[in-house]
Amino acid sequence: MTYKTIDTAEYPAQFADKAKRLAALLSPYYKGELDLHESPRSHYRMRAEFRVWHEQDDLYYIMFNPETREKIRMDQFVPGSELINTLMTAVRDYVIDKPILRNKLFQVDFLTTTTNEAVISCLYHKQLDKEWEEAAEQMHKALSSLTAKLGLIGRARKQKHVIGTDEVIESLTLGQHSWKTVQTENAFTQPNAAINQQMITWAMHAVGTSSHDLLELYCGNGNFTLPLATQFEHVLATEISKRSVASAQTAAQMNKVDNVAFVRMSSEEFSEALKGDVEKRRLQDIDLTSYDFGTVLVDPPRAGLDDLTLNVVSEYQRILYISCNPETLIQNIEALSDKFDVTKAALFDQFPYTHHIEAGVLLERKAD
């Protein structure tokens, strides 16, 4: 299904099909009820990327049908936030008659927040010179009134020009607390703000409050880390992306969270260090023996957990697993099934009108 053919009336049936599919996959390991979390039916995506199509004097956005590669004109984008739709029109209308900004423009990316902040990235098949920078400054000034904060970025081969900012501050309300996160252009963030809020809330309820420490692998910008830090004694969180770690550290200061340490390492590297196989320079200021890890949180890429990381997480009492690929999730659950039971499970519809499923499970060690 392409975005052009979205029919919001079909959403309940599509969501029900996803719930049945996930329940069937989990059935050998989990007999309880799935916690089901529906997405808003429109304007749920906070980021989007569009190719730009030049046709004589006209200029418009396109996406490609993933099956046929047919190009689909996108004058509006129903899944996109209201702000994305506003900025789509504003950018197109501004550059269409300005050759300096229009020439060789082949893609525009939008990152927005529920706090009305945005970063627009314009990608070019040409080098960006002083004349482009001056024209882009005027564009930034013209569009800034549409947002609370606006960043405009020009990208070309080995070039990145930032006007204003390349990051935004998102705010999520969880219970009585408002949490701020730093989201950066070209870095991963959860695309569906409403579902992200539900995911964090579910995770907090799933693990409850503990007197031990939390280990988190693949922590990104601290999206789960900081709210969960209120429920554990200490948190050690790892992430391979330097920019994401910097964003997480900034967010920790903004939210006045002081019981979290962030380490820039891949899960594989950290797993090796935990096993004592290698010494890692980035852990030189951290005494791993001082932590009492009882729960581990993983939010891996689509490939799931590698064998080494699986071996490491199997040492703890509980594993909170957030998955963007139910097939690899089931493979990992199978590998852990001798030692762990799935005690809670949830479906989060990050990507309505697609086949993609986001899931969360809590695995708890079996009684001896």
Side-chain angles (χ1 to χ4, degrees), residues 114-133:
T114 62
T115 54
N116 202 40
E117 298 187 4
V119 174
I120 303 168
S121 302
C122 298
L123 284 61
Y124 289 88
H125 284 313
K126 68 174 182 180
Q127 291 298 287
L128 306 180
D129 56 16
K130 187 66 175 177
E131 191 176 18
W132 179 90
E133 289 185 53

Side-chain angles (χ1 to χ4, degrees), residues 8-234:
T8 57
E10 295 179 355
Y11 180 70
Q14 293 170 347
F15 182 76
D17 286 343
K18 289 186 181 183
K20 290 178 183 177
R21 182 153 61 97
L22 181 59
L25 288 168
L26 285 170
S27 61
Y29 314 100
Y30 180 68
K31 305 302 182 184
E33 292 292 321
L34 277 176
D35 289 328
L36 302 177
H37 299 270
E38 296 187 17
S39 171
R41 299 187 189 187
S42 62
H43 304 307
Y44 48 83
R45 281 191 66 94
M46 307 309 293
R47 52 185 171 89
E49 302 175 358
F50 302 96
R51 294 297 295 270
V52 176
W53 198 258
H54 300 254
E55 192 170 280
Q56 298 180 349
D57 292 335
D58 201 3
L59 181 76
Y60 52 89
Y61 304 103
I62 63 169
M63 285 186 166
F64 292 100
N65 184 312
E67 298 175 358
T68 66
R69 299 305 295 168
E70 171 194 6
K71 69 176 186 294
I72 303 165
R73 180 167 178 157
M74 307 296 298
D75 293 322
Q76 290 290 292
F77 185 50
V78 174
S81 67
E82 297 279 7
L83 184 53
I84 285 177
N85 281 272
T86 297
L87 293 174
M88 286 174 66
T89 300
V91 170
R92 184 262 182 193
D93 290 350
Y94 190 88
V95 306
I96 192 169
D97 61 353
K98 297 175 178 63
I100 295 170
L101 296 171
R102 172 177 173 163
N103 185 37
K104 302 293 185 179
L105 175 65
F106 73 91
Q107 183 168 316
V108 180
D109 302 343
F110 299 93
L111 170 63
T112 64
T113 68
T114 62
T115 54
N116 202 40
E117 298 187 4
V119 174
I120 303 168
S121 302
C122 298
L123 284 61
Y124 289 88
H125 284 313
K126 68 174 182 180
Q127 291 298 287
L128 306 180
D129 56 16
K130 187 66 175 177
E131 191 176 18
W132 179 90
E133 289 185 53
E134 292 173 353
E137 290 276 3
Q138 292 303 311
M139 178 179 170
H140 179 264
K141 185 182 298 184
L143 301 185
S144 288
S145 63
L146 300 175
T147 69
K149 182 173 76 173
L150 179 67
L152 178 61
I153 298 173
R155 284 189 172 273
R157 182 176 172 82
K158 297 183 178 180
Q159 285 185 296
K160 177 185 177 182
H161 290 288
V162 179
I163 301 171
T165 183
D166 66 350
E167 64 184 30
V168 291
I169 307 301
E170 179 62 287
S171 181
L172 297 175
T173 300
L174 305 171
Q176 301 300 312
H177 196 103
S178 179
W179 292 93
K180 292 180 171 59
T181 59
V182 180
Q183 301 187 356
T184 306
E185 185 253 6
N186 253 16
F188 174 78
T189 55
Q190 297 289 346
N192 188 322
I195 287 295
N196 183 41
Q197 188 162 306
Q198 293 179 54
M199 289 171 62
I200 300 171
T201 300
W202 178 84
M204 295 176 74
H205 289 163
V207 298
T209 301
S210 299
S211 58
H212 58 249
D213 301 328
L214 172 69
L215 170 64
E216 182 181 3
L217 307 179
Y218 314 94
C219 74
N221 67 344
N223 181 66
F224 287 98
T225 320
L226 303 179
L228 284 172
T230 63
Q231 301 180 195
F232 292 88
E233 292 296 309
H234 302 92

Side-chain angles (χ1 to χ4, degrees), residues 317 337-341 343 364-368:
Q317 291 298 116
S337 60
D338 286 347
K339 296 181 179 180
F340 290 86
D341 290 319
T343 59
E364 300 189 79
R365 184 173 294 279
K366 294 179 177 180
D368 294 330

